[in-house]
């Protein structure tokens, strides 16, 4: 019945549809990792690791340190990712790291978070600039999303993991 009702809704098109699907996939990777932990089911954790690595492969260009909002586009059609895209990639990587303890995922999460900070952090306002890269005509009209709360959680989780690692190895850490 729900599928029938969904068929009556207008379908998003073009970049919007691709972005919605991409954000859904980023959330699925994190959900698989959390489910693997909650149910103590290795299959979910392994699926989360595969999904996280696919996110990196498809949505991140390590040489340019850029997140793509949809599957990696050719440089000629490059569209810069938004704050939610960066935040959700980092969240999926941190979720998966907490499930698999794969250091490569943690290192990549820190790298992408640093890039997000470089692009979106506004030191003058001490806040993330949600409208970065948006034409001035439509700035401020972006739909509300939870990218700022996701970013906050990511920062807390990355900081806690770094502090725990430093304590385990007896290293002083100045965050």
């Amino acid at each position: 019945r729900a599928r029938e009702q969904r068929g009556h809704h207008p379908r998003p098109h073009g970049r919007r549809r691709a972005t919605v699907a991409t954000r859904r996939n980023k959330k699925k990777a994190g959900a698989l990792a959390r489910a693997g932990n909650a149910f103590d089911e290795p299959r979910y954790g392994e699926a989360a690791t595969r999904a996280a690595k696919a996110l990196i492969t498809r949505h991140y260009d390590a040489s340019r340190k850029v997140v793509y909002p949809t599957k990696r586009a050719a440089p000629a059609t490059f569209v810069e990712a938004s704050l939610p895209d960066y935040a959700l990639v980092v969240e999926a990587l941190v979720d998966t790291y907490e499930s698999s303890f794969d250091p490569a995922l943690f290192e990549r999460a820190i790298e992408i978070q640093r890039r997000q900070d470089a692009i979106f952090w506004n030191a003058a306002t001490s806040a993330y600039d949600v409208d970065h890269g948006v034409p001035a005509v439509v700035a401020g009209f972006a739909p509300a999303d939870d990218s700022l709360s996701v970013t906050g959680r990511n920062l807390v989780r990355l900081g806690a993991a770094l502090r725990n690692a430093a304590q385990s190895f007896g290293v002083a850490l100045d965050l």
Side-chain angles (χ1 to χ4, degrees), residues 89 113 120 151:
V89 168
Q113 180 64 51
F120 298 102
T151 298

Side-chain angles (χ1 to χ4, degrees), residues 41-136:
E41 180 59 56
R43 290 181 306 160
Y44 296 147
E46 292 164 5
T49 301
R50 285 192 307 274
K53 289 181 178 181
L55 279 175
I56 292 169
T57 302
R58 294 180 183 150
H59 298 282
Y60 186 66
D61 181 348
S63 64
R64 295 175 61 196
K65 296 190 184 332
V66 172
V67 170
Y68 293 96
T70 59
K71 285 187 181 178
R72 287 182 47 179
T77 60
F78 172 74
V79 176
E80 186 173 356
S82 64
L83 179 61
D85 294 314
Y86 277 86
L88 290 172
V89 168
V90 172
E91 182 180 44
L93 295 177
V94 173
D95 285 342
T96 307
Y97 166 75
E98 289 176 346
S99 174
S100 68
F101 298 107
D102 181 344
L105 294 175
F106 187 70
E107 290 169 8
R108 190 65 74 188
I110 290 173
E111 181 178 301
I112 295 171
Q113 180 64 51
R114 284 183 177 150
R115 177 65 177 162
Q116 175 186 321
D117 292 344
I119 295 171
F120 298 102
W121 182 253
N122 184 336
T125 62
S126 296
Y128 283 98
D129 185 4
V130 181
D131 292 326
H132 174 79
V134 175

